Amino acid sequence: MAIQFLDSRLSLQLSNSEGTEHISRTPQLLGDIGLETIAAVGTPNQSNIRVSLWGTIGVSGKSGDAVSIFVQRGGTDQLDPGPIIYSAVVELTGRSNTQLLTFAAGDFPSAQDAASGEIRYTMFTREHNSKSRVILTGPISFNGMAVAGNA
């Protein structure tokens, strides 16, 4: 079956670099999107959905500080035991104390995940053994796109 575009969404928490909030030591929700799969439900494409996810988190901290990033499928407003489809620990480096952390992730949800007509993806971050407090300066965005098919 031909490639089928399903949905594209954007979660924008902060569009500039003027944030001053500290990153928590417990996971905090920074991005939340629901990608619609309804157009593929009940078709052979329901088993061939592919999701591309990407995001940016602007932070300020000292060299050696680290930030964890998580992306979860089907979760809630809290990082829970659901499937974490992407995780990374990013160590801040260099002399500049402001950095843009960017990532790209992919997911192959099951036909059962797609059956409800929408799949929720959430992006979380937390400090990871930092020596000082890391600040969310921004920008902060989380984006996703779902397609189906195998041609």
Side-chain angles (χ1 to χ4, degrees), residues 137-149:
T137 58
I140 301 169
S141 68
F142 180 50
N143 313 278
M145 180 175 62
V147 298

Side-chain angles (χ1 to χ4, degrees), residues 9-138:
R9 300 290 167 122
L10 162 71
S11 174
L12 182 63
Q13 182 171 346
L14 188 59
S15 63
N16 57 41
S17 298
E18 298 175 6
T20 59
E21 178 184 350
H22 288 277
I23 294 180
S24 175
R25 296 190 195 284
T26 58
Q28 63 189 101
L29 179 66
L30 293 183
D32 189 349
I33 57 175
L35 293 173
E36 291 186 14
T37 57
I38 193 73
V41 174
T43 73
N45 272 348
Q46 184 174 339
S47 298
N48 293 313
I49 294 175
R50 295 181 303 283
V51 174
S52 297
L53 301 157
W54 60 97
T56 298
I57 304 170
V59 298
S60 177
K62 295 182 179 176
S63 183
D65 289 344
V67 175
S68 295
I69 301 170
F70 306 95
V71 176
Q72 185 171 36
R73 177 189 341 112
T76 65
D77 290 351
Q78 303 291 320
L79 188 62
D80 56 33
I84 295 173
I85 61 151
Y86 176 87
S87 66
V89 176
V90 182
E91 187 173 319
L92 305 183
T93 60
R95 294 177 186 232
S96 171
N97 64 353
T98 300
Q99 294 183 31
L100 287 177
L101 310 180
T102 60
F103 68 90
D107 188 32
F108 298 93
S110 69
Q112 182 180 359
D113 290 324
S116 69
E118 182 177 84
I119 303 173
R120 182 180 186 189
Y121 289 93
T122 46
M123 176 181 73
F124 295 86
T125 191
R126 72 173 177 89
E127 278 191 327
H128 184 87
N129 300 327
S130 294
K131 300 171 189 163
S132 61
R133 297 301 310 265
V134 178
I135 297 172
L136 285 169
T137 58

